[in-house]
Amino acid sequence: MNHQPGAINQNKMKKIKVTQVKSVIDRSERQKRTMVALGLKKMNASVEVEATPSILGMITKVNHLVKVEELA
């Protein structure tokens, strides 16, 4: 545990909103599964997730299919 002042604020992850803007038809099975793992199953569907390294890596792999917005 960190016992530094302000450590609680440093550990708080940012929230991002991910919206599917393109179809997964004619995409690889890996990209389809990544979209499902992000919680996106339909066009124009949006999910709010924490910006963890694993989520950011998934977004990088399907960035041509999604739109990402940072939430306050």
Side-chain angles (χ1 to χ4, degrees), residues 21-34:
V21 294
K22 289 192 177 177
S23 174
V24 294
I25 295 174
D26 284 339
R27 302 295 175 180
S28 69
E29 190 63 30
R30 186 174 189 146
Q31 289 178 355
K32 290 178 186 180
R33 288 177 186 248
T34 301

Side-chain angles (χ1 to χ4, degrees), residues 3-61:
H3 294 291
Q4 300 170 349
I8 294 173
N9 292 336
Q10 293 173 352
N11 292 335
K12 188 175 179 183
M13 290 285 182
K14 289 186 178 179
K15 297 279 276 187
I16 53 176
K17 182 178 179 182
V18 184
T19 305
Q20 181 176 346
V21 294
K22 289 192 177 177
S23 174
V24 294
I25 295 174
D26 284 339
R27 302 295 175 180
S28 69
E29 190 63 30
R30 186 174 189 146
Q31 289 178 355
K32 290 178 186 180
R33 288 177 186 248
T34 301
M35 294 293 280
V36 171
L38 285 170
L40 299 170
K41 298 176 184 172
K42 295 182 178 182
M43 286 290 300
N44 299 313
S46 296
V47 291
E48 291 181 10
V49 292
E50 290 187 357
T52 62
S54 60
I55 294 291
L56 294 175
M58 287 192 279
I59 290 170
T60 300
K61 292 295 184 181

